[in-house]
Amino acid sequence: MKTLSVAQVKTHLSSLLKEVEGGNEIAISFGKKKQTIAVIISYDEYKRNKKRQLGTLKGKMKVIFNDNSSITDEELFSK
């Protein structure tokens, strides 16, 4: 992974985007300490690594258990 300052990224953005399109990652450093603050990756890589958010159906569905259910608690919670 190549690390560049913000000024270098601004100067060479077009060529860096071509590198990212080719599968490379570009880290961006900022400040006097040149601390890495961001990484540019391809959109395909972003989509592949994006984690699924839980709770997207919250409030949109209900689960109802009948009182006459024949399954025991142990059966319900077993692997």
Side-chain angles (χ1 to χ4, degrees):
M1 179 182 332
K2 185 189 295 189
T3 303
L4 301 169
S5 69
V6 173
Q8 291 171 312
V9 171
K10 287 170 38 177
T11 303
H12 304 288
L13 184 60
S14 295
S15 62
L16 293 174
L17 290 176
K18 287 181 184 178
E19 285 186 43
V20 169
E21 187 178 42
N24 295 329
E25 296 179 356
I26 308 292
I28 302 173
S29 63
F30 181 72
K32 292 179 183 177
K33 295 182 181 180
K34 304 256 185 218
Q35 183 178 6
T36 300
I37 59 166
V39 176
I40 302 173
I41 61 171
S42 70
Y43 186 68
D44 290 337
E45 185 70 24
Y46 167 76
K47 287 192 313 186
R48 189 176 17 249
N49 291 332
K50 190 173 181 183
K51 294 189 178 176
R52 207 173 102 188
Q53 292 182 350
L54 299 178
T56 56
L57 294 177
K58 186 176 183 178
K60 296 181 181 177
M61 61 184 285
K62 289 184 180 182
V63 176
I64 300 172
F65 294 98
N66 293 328
D67 291 335
N68 61 355
S69 176
S70 62
I71 190 169
T72 65
D73 290 343
E74 289 81 23
E75 292 172 324
L76 178 64
F77 295 113
S78 67
K79 291 183 180 178

